[in-house]
Amino acid sequence: MTIYLPIAELSVNILIILGMGAAVGFLSGMFGVGGGFLITPLLIFYNIPPVVAVATGANQVVASSISGAITHFRRGTIDIKLGTVLLCGGLAGATLGVWLFSFLRRAGQLDLVISLLYVVLLGSVGSLMLWESVRAMRKAAKNQATPLRRPGQHNWVHGLPLKMRFKKSKIYLSVIPVAALGFCIGILTSVMGVGGGFIMVPAMIYLLRIPTNVVVGTSLFQIIFVSAYTVIVQASTNYTVDIVLAFVLMIAGVIGAQYGVRVGQKLRGEQLRALLALLVLAVGIRLAVELVIPPKDIYSVVSAGFGF
Amino acid sequence: MIRLARIALAALILAFAAPAAAQLQDENANDFTEKLEIGISTDEIAITSDFRGADLTIFGAVDGFDANLLVQGKYNIIVSLEGPKDNATVRKKERVFGIWVNTSSMTFELVPESYSLSSTRDIETIAPPGEMGNMGIGVDHMRLVPLGFVGDGSNLGEFRNAFRRIRETSGVYERDPGGVQFISSSLFKASVRLPANVPNGVHVVRAYLFRDGTFVAAKALPLRVVKTGVEQVITQTAHQQPLFYGLFAVLLAVITGWGASLLFRKE
């Protein structure tokens, strides 16, 4: 059963796309991540032009983040003020990212940069998460408490100027690191087609020391708007958002996510983090291997319409 | 200044040489009594959502043939289906600090995006390679003109070969040295294939008639490949109202995400 993708201009097996969407949706529901970091590489492995994969991946992230954000909004675990500061940085970053994307595409280095970014980010975030969760599991085995937040401790981030009071998060923090974090995530969203939650959440917890209960909701708030903005900018500059592909992925993704959430609730936090870390590392290693082993063909052909 | 003038002159000569050669061919064609006619059942192929490539049958007739030569199998026909032309860039990877990086590239000017060739027999045995090269028939003889500065041109061959090989292995360039068959003394039928990832636009069906290794006549017909229905609306909107398209894509995502959360909450 095939379906024609009007923007990617090729026919694909709809069952494979549905399966991909459902699997990534399941994992994203289970771990509470957007899944962009899985969907974009998968689409590229399935021969979707990277330009289309990145832009369409961002569209899928919007859909998968919405339902999570609604839940957090109802529970009141979104710090809108903090989210807005993140968002300002994010929009600026996404704008630069789309420009960078077009530039790298013309230079023929987009695929390399996308792969390298994935390897570096997934590798480092995955290792850190794995290390942290294994430590937490050991402590849990010894019946020790595992404080994620150490309120008394301050790092260099808290010495920066332009401080602002974020009532919901109950913190008094400089806007510089917050906007800078949003900016970096914005670049990643437009260059890699990821929401960036897997980097933003740990950075907010460990670096900015924002309370864990508002972290996920606030990061989702920022992800929705930055991804939506990226989709619109990619659609108007590169014409690479494939709405058919995105829609099939979304439908399968949101359904898969519902089942993922149920499985996720049965697992303990640190186990969940360890599994997510392994998954993140696996994707990173897969991409790293691809960069190092001699390619099947050292030549590649792209026509002016598409490619990287 | 003189050098510049010389270059300009050379360019002028080149520019005139090409049409002159084409004219020569036409004149040659007039010396023969044979005439070639072809027809296809449709001049438009619609791409629908379940498009998986299409086989096209082209019928043709040779008029004014020499019965003796026909019996001896001296007439050969080549039919090609050429996709829309676009520049194509070939990139070459090399190992840099342990990882594989695109280090060099070459862009070929206006090459067909797809190419399906069908003939009565292997085209290399139909006419001398020189003639095929002049006419640009066949993947191996296709004109691949590099764009821009290519240095001393020593790597031109490897990039051309890589281009041909990749296009053939990916299935967008095909050849079938038995795809043209005579169904009666002068009627023939040829089958060519549109690949699944066919580019949209105007494709050209070309038929060439050879008599005993000499080019006799050629005929061309346009074939439009168009997206239809929803596919066409989507492509058009994406290119003509990109902002609206982007907003709609986001809206669709919002509705899907929201809808799912409402739907599953009730359960």
Side-chain angles (χ1 to χ4, degrees):
Chain A
M1 207 182 148
T2 58
I3 185 167
Y4 183 78
L5 306 178
I7 302 298
E9 294 196 330
L10 48 88
S11 290
V12 292
N13 189 333
I14 191 172
L15 297 177
I16 292 182
I17 301 290
L18 279 172
M20 243 183 228
V24 173
F26 182 83
L27 294 170
S28 66
M30 190 162 140
F31 299 126
V33 292
F37 73 95
L38 292 170
I39 208 84
T40 309
L42 276 177
L43 289 176
I44 295 172
F45 295 150
Y46 191 53
N47 283 332
I48 306 286
V51 233
V52 177
V54 168
T56 307
N59 202 3
Q60 139 89 8
V61 168
V62 177
S64 65
S65 307
I66 279 270
S67 54
I70 290 170
T71 314
H72 282 282
F73 187 74
R74 283 208 195 96
R75 286 190 204 146
T77 46
I78 297 182
D79 186 333
I80 304 279
K81 194 175 173 189
L82 183 66
T84 308
V85 177
L86 273 171
L87 185 56
C88 291
L91 295 181
T95 309
L96 178 72
V98 172
W99 178 83
L100 211 63
F101 186 88
S102 309
F103 171 77
L104 289 168
R105 188 178 161 193
R106 277 198 303 276
Q109 302 298 352
L110 185 64
D111 61 337
L112 175 74
V113 172
I114 289 178
S115 295
L116 276 178
L117 276 175
Y118 267 111
V119 169
V120 170
L121 288 175
L122 298 181
S124 50
V125 172
S127 321
L128 279 173
M129 246 165 41
L130 189 65
W131 184 65
E132 184 274 329
S133 55
V134 166
R135 231 175 34 154
M137 272 193 271
R138 271 207 204 132
K139 275 188 185 163
K142 287 181 200 159
N143 271 330
Q144 284 174 359
T146 52
L148 273 179
R149 187 179 178 229
R150 282 148 283 186
Q153 290 181 15
H154 277 83
N155 51 19
W156 58 271
V157 165
H158 297 84
L160 291 169
L162 277 175
K163 288 204 171 188
M164 203 185 236
R165 195 166 295 283
F166 298 102
K167 275 190 194 136
K168 194 145 230 163
S169 309
K170 300 190 188 74
I171 50 165
Y172 184 58
L173 190 64
S174 160
V175 295
I176 295 170
V178 180
L181 178 64
F183 184 79
C184 296
I185 302 297
I187 295 178
L188 298 184
T189 304
S190 49
V191 175
M192 299 164 73
V194 298
F198 67 102
I199 297 164
M200 192 154 39
V201 170
M204 283 164 87
I205 294 174
Y206 299 113
L207 214 61
L208 305 182
R209 306 237 186 274
I210 294 163
T212 357
N213 59 336
V214 295
V215 162
V216 177
T218 309
S219 80
L220 282 173
F221 172 83
Q222 122 103 1
I223 286 169
I224 289 167
F225 286 99
V226 174
S227 309
Y229 174 77
T230 302
V231 170
I232 293 165
V233 176
Q234 287 279 21
S236 22
T237 54
N238 293 323
Y239 313 111
T240 46
V241 179
D242 198 306
I243 209 163
V244 175
L245 178 62
F247 190 62
V248 174
L249 286 174
M250 274 173 212
I251 293 288
V254 291
I255 295 169
Q258 300 297 329
Y259 292 97
V261 169
R262 281 166 214 190
V263 175
Q265 281 162 352
K266 291 188 186 124
L267 291 168
R268 291 163 55 114
E270 56 267 27
Q271 287 173 338
L272 216 54
R273 283 204 300 277
L275 280 176
L276 178 59
L278 288 174
L279 184 70
V280 166
L281 276 177
V283 177
I285 289 167
R286 167 83 166 83
L287 284 161
V289 167
E290 206 132 289
L291 283 175
V292 177
I293 58 161
K296 260 190 234 134
D297 197 334
I298 58 166
Y299 296 96
S300 57
V301 175
V302 287
S303 57
F306 272 131
F308 37 96
Chain B
M1 200 56 208
I2 293 168
R3 189 189 281 172
L4 205 75
R6 255 192 219 152
I7 292 169
L9 194 67
L12 262 173
I13 291 169
L14 273 176
F16 280 109
Q23 245 170 23
L24 209 67
Q25 257 171 17
D26 281 352
E27 276 165 27
N28 274 349
N30 291 339
D31 294 344
F32 296 101
T33 53
E34 291 89 345
K35 290 231 158 51
L36 185 65
E37 290 299 334
I38 52 167
I40 22 176
S41 56
T42 176
D43 59 356
E44 195 174 284
I45 297 272
I47 296 188
T48 49
S49 59
D50 57 352
F51 185 76
R52 250 183 289 179
D55 285 306
L56 270 179
T57 304
I58 291 141
F59 287 97
V62 184
D63 283 336
F65 56 89
D66 184 320
N68 271 333
L69 289 173
L70 192 73
V71 171
Q72 291 166 36
K74 298 282 190 192
Y75 285 111
N76 278 298
I77 290 154
I78 301 173
V79 177
S80 69
L81 176 63
E82 253 183 58
K85 293 184 173 181
D86 205 343
N87 292 351
T89 304
V90 181
R91 296 206 165 96
K92 186 187 177 183
K93 280 195 170 76
E94 267 170 273
R95 197 169 224 157
V96 180
F97 300 114
I99 58 169
W100 292 86
V101 181
N102 284 329
T103 48
S104 51
S105 70
M106 190 177 285
T107 301
F108 294 115
E109 202 174 35
L110 299 178
V111 287
E113 292 280 278
S114 66
Y115 190 78
S116 172
L117 189 84
S118 188
S119 49
T120 42
R121 55 183 172 144
D122 185 359
I123 63 157
E124 305 305 325
T125 67
I126 289 177
E131 176 124 26
M132 290 297 180
N134 282 339
M135 302 185 64
I137 304 174
V139 178
D140 296 334
H141 306 294
M142 188 181 283
R143 284 190 194 95
L144 295 176
V145 184
L147 200 71
F149 181 68
V150 288
D152 60 353
S154 59
N155 52 0
L156 197 56
E158 63 170 321
F159 277 98
R160 279 183 173 153
N161 288 338
F163 174 80
R164 294 190 172 109
R165 182 169 42 76
I166 290 169
R167 284 274 161 110
E168 280 194 301
T169 47
S170 66
V172 287
Y173 282 14
E174 291 181 295
R175 51 179 128 190
D176 180 6
V180 181
Q181 285 157 347
F182 278 99
I183 43 178
S184 77
S185 56
S186 64
L187 270 179
F188 65 87
K189 117 183 154 169
S191 45
V192 283
R193 188 160 173 74
L194 273 176
N197 47 350
V198 62
N200 299 286
V202 179
H203 293 232
V204 184
V205 178
R206 289 181 207 278
Y208 305 88
L209 176 66
F210 284 82
R211 186 179 77 185
D212 207 5
T214 320
F215 169 73
V216 176
K219 204 87 195 186
L221 279 178
L223 173 75
R224 282 190 302 137
V225 174
V226 291
K227 294 174 187 181
T228 50
V230 187
E231 284 74 27
Q232 196 221 359
V233 172
I234 291 173
T235 316
Q236 242 176 25
T237 314
H239 285 91
Q240 286 163 11
Q241 280 131 344
L243 188 67
F244 171 76
Y245 179 87
L247 286 169
F248 183 74
V250 169
L251 185 71
L252 197 66
V254 171
I255 293 170
T256 311
W258 201 330
S261 75
L262 286 178
L263 203 74
F264 283 90
R265 207 161 55 112
K266 277 178 191 162
E267 266 185 21

